[in-house]
Amino acid sequence: MSRIYNFSAGPSTLPLEALEEAASRFVDYENSGMSLIEMSHRGKQYDAVHQETIALLREILKVPDSHHVLLLQGGATLQFGMIPLAFLKPGMSADHVLTGSWAKKAVADARAVGDVSIAWDGAECSYTRIPPQQDLSLNPDAAYVHICSNETIGGIQWQAFPDTGCVPLICDMSSEILSRPLPWEKIDMVYAGAQKNLAPAGMALVIVSARLASMARTDLPAYLRYDLHIKENSLYNTPPAFVVWMTQLTLKWMKSIGGMQEIERRRDEKSGMLYNTIDNSGGYYRCPVDPASRSAMNVVWRLPSEELEQKFLQQAQAEGLSGLKGHRSVGGCRASIYNAMPVAGVKALSDFMQTFMQNNG
Ligand code: PMP
């Protein structure tokens, strides 16, 4: 077997241990004579996976009893629409902070439902920084404040969560969930597509406070009702069993290496190594992002020319460093270094960057 280092933004690399465990138990799940994805989701075996996955999420993220943990389908994209449908009632307005491509998608869906006010727009800096608290125009009567805590394409990340007073803060954490502990007292809802730090695609993790959930509309089609998913413990309809199982295996892997503390240590080691390589390149590699807003998950950089970028990407691929092309909307290079990317992968990339610069400087 030869696995390469996969720096794709999502779907992205998963822990080898989790993949191997799933493979070894895939065809005959715990002597049931069938795989987990073929059995009833109302049976004991799936139920145990479901409950343990939720329990592990609560444990690792230290989710307080005041918040519900939901496993829903439709990815993060369904949440873009489900949130305003549930919480942006007629006569109300939602505050959105525009930090880049993903924040914009959330705004577009919210506008299809109701009134949106832009609390800050990063257009003037080409979405290369996160606003300080004092630059946010927050409405104390807003239905909620929405932010994208890590912009997967632009490579910027909120280092601290904004203070929104009594207004619920809702946060798209798709590309950074489980990479840091969360200040639950400031956050009413987080959501994240599974396919970066958790599992394959096909699920969104949603963690919502009871206070916000109690305000959700109930006169909506069933799947769009948070109250129903809470009541049924995310088993209102058939759950994405394979994705939930892979999430459980990823979370077990996280625990086995030392939990959140070790994840944070590795995160800082990996992102530090890459940003140092960029900063010590004498301007050969350029990170367009404000240093105080740099993402620890998606590191973006440019080379002196687009021709060199092409050459860089081709040679990197040949060296087993895959998925480094920046998003088609911005170009350049991007390394997505989620939890499962080994430190050795980032070291190999950093070494490659230095060699490439020496040969093409
Ligand atoms: N938000 C962010 C920050 C993302 O990176 C993505 C996917 N790349 C999404 C939302 C959309 O997620 P999904 O594809 O799961 O709907």
Side-chain angles (χ1 to χ4, degrees), residues 9-10 74-78 80 102 148 150-152 172-175 191-196 203 338:
T77 299
L78 181 60
F80 290 161
W102 291 107
C148 173
N150 185 71
E151 286 283 357
T152 321
D172 174 4
M173 301 196 74
S174 292
S175 46
Y191 64 96
Q195 66 277 18
K196 301 168 197 299
M203 190 179 87
Y338 302 124

Side-chain angles (χ1 to χ4, degrees), residues 14-66:
L14 290 171
L16 181 59
E17 292 82 345
L19 295 174
E20 283 177 336
E21 188 166 348
S24 74
R25 295 163 62 199
F26 189 70
V27 175
D28 180 4
Y29 186 78
E30 291 181 353
N31 301 319
S32 61
M34 63 178 95
S35 71
L36 184 87
I37 60 171
E38 296 168 299
M39 63 179 62
S40 168
H41 60 288
R42 306 283 175 203
K44 267 195 185 137
Q45 281 177 311
Y46 175 73
D47 198 58
V49 172
H50 194 86
Q51 306 306 341
E52 193 187 349
T53 305
I54 293 173
L56 283 167
L57 284 163
R58 283 197 167 279
E59 180 186 339
I60 297 174
L61 276 173
K62 295 196 164 64
V63 181
D65 289 344
S66 55

Side-chain angles (χ1 to χ4, degrees), residues 261-321:
Q261 213 179 346
E262 176 63 10
I263 287 289
E264 285 193 281
R265 196 197 62 72
R266 292 186 189 187
R267 177 201 66 201
D268 292 345
E269 185 179 353
K270 290 184 289 182
S271 58
M273 207 187 313
L274 273 190
Y275 286 119
N276 275 339
T277 303
I278 292 167
D279 291 344
N280 296 333
S281 71
Y284 187 79
Y285 298 111
R286 258 180 322 106
C287 174
V289 167
D290 163 44
S293 304
R294 286 173 166 182
S295 168
M297 294 282 113
N298 307 97
V299 179
V300 295
W301 70 92
R302 306 297 312 227
L303 274 80
S305 69
E306 288 190 12
E307 291 69 39
L308 279 168
E309 283 171 355
Q310 284 291 341
K311 192 174 173 189
F312 177 91
L313 292 169
Q314 268 166 15
Q315 288 190 6
Q317 181 72 44
E319 295 283 325
L321 304 167

